Amino acid sequence: MNRIIAFALLIAGGLLLYFGYHEYNSFGSELDQAFGGSGSTDAIVMLVVGVIAVILGGSRLVKKK
């Protein structure tokens, strides 16, 4: 059961990283960055949560019983 949760976290984290990266490089985010902003908050949240999910999933997958 732990391996299923670990794989689910890895997949969800990977998807969040993928969509967060594309959101961060979107046209609206590029305009915001061009005028002194830091980019889309949604993109940054997706990237951070994606990294956390990948780390948790990887550590659960590697962890021995």
Side-chain angles (χ1 to χ4, degrees):
M1 186 61 138
N2 283 338
R3 290 177 91 60
I4 294 171
I5 294 171
F7 280 121
L9 281 171
L10 282 172
I11 291 170
L15 286 172
L16 282 170
L17 287 172
Y18 175 78
F19 288 121
Y21 175 76
H22 283 287
E23 174 70 25
Y24 191 75
N25 290 322
S26 69
F27 182 69
S29 183
E30 293 285 335
L31 280 177
D32 186 36
Q33 291 173 15
F35 292 110
S38 64
S40 173
T41 304
D42 292 338
I44 295 170
V45 169
M46 281 193 274
L47 289 170
V48 170
V49 172
V51 167
I52 291 170
V54 167
I55 289 171
L56 288 175
S59 67
R60 287 188 80 138
L61 195 61
V62 173
K63 183 179 169 184
K64 306 279 183 188
K65 285 189 175 183

